[in-house]
Amino acid sequence: MTTVNTDLTSMAGGLILGVVGPFFLMMIVLNSALSGSAGKFAPSAISMTVAFCIMSFGPVTDAAINPARTLGPAIGTGDYSQVLPYIIAQFVGAAVAATAYRFIFAQKFGDEMQGNAEEPAF
């Protein structure tokens, strides 16, 4: 079950980490895979980010950095007491990363797809 370890941090601290982890993960996915800047190393960059988040935030938040990781144990145990705050925090972190990518890293709207668009096969 996904819970905040209150011996290590407060509930607010756990929710902040619930925003920071998905922010890092989404930012790496967007900057490596979507923009194509990492090339063949994009899967390695993404998996290393997941490993970093698990090692850093795991003892505090049970490594909940995506909604599936939060919902799976909740469905298995039937305890949904802390699911909603976690899911809201994860979506906020991902939305902030997507917004930052759109307005900081992408040169203009549609720039992230430049060069990757293929002509129709028919």
Side-chain angles (χ1 to χ4, degrees), residues 4 20 30 56 66 84 89 92:
V4 174
V20 171
L30 291 173
S56 299
N66 69 34
L84 188 61
V92 166

Side-chain angles (χ1 to χ4, degrees), residues 17-86:
L17 292 177
V19 171
V20 171
F23 174 83
F24 283 147
L25 182 59
M26 181 63 96
M27 191 59 77
I28 293 297
V29 167
L30 291 173
N31 279 306
S32 63
L34 185 63
S35 70
S37 61
K40 293 181 181 179
F41 294 107
S44 296
I46 294 167
S47 61
M48 292 303 287
T49 303
V50 170
F52 168 77
C53 289
I54 289 171
M55 289 185 282
S56 299
F57 310 142
V60 180
T61 64
D62 291 337
I65 58 172
N66 69 34
R69 168 60 188 86
T70 303
L71 283 174
I75 291 170
T77 61
D79 183 13
Y80 301 98
S81 61
Q82 293 186 9
V83 170
L84 188 61
Y86 265 112

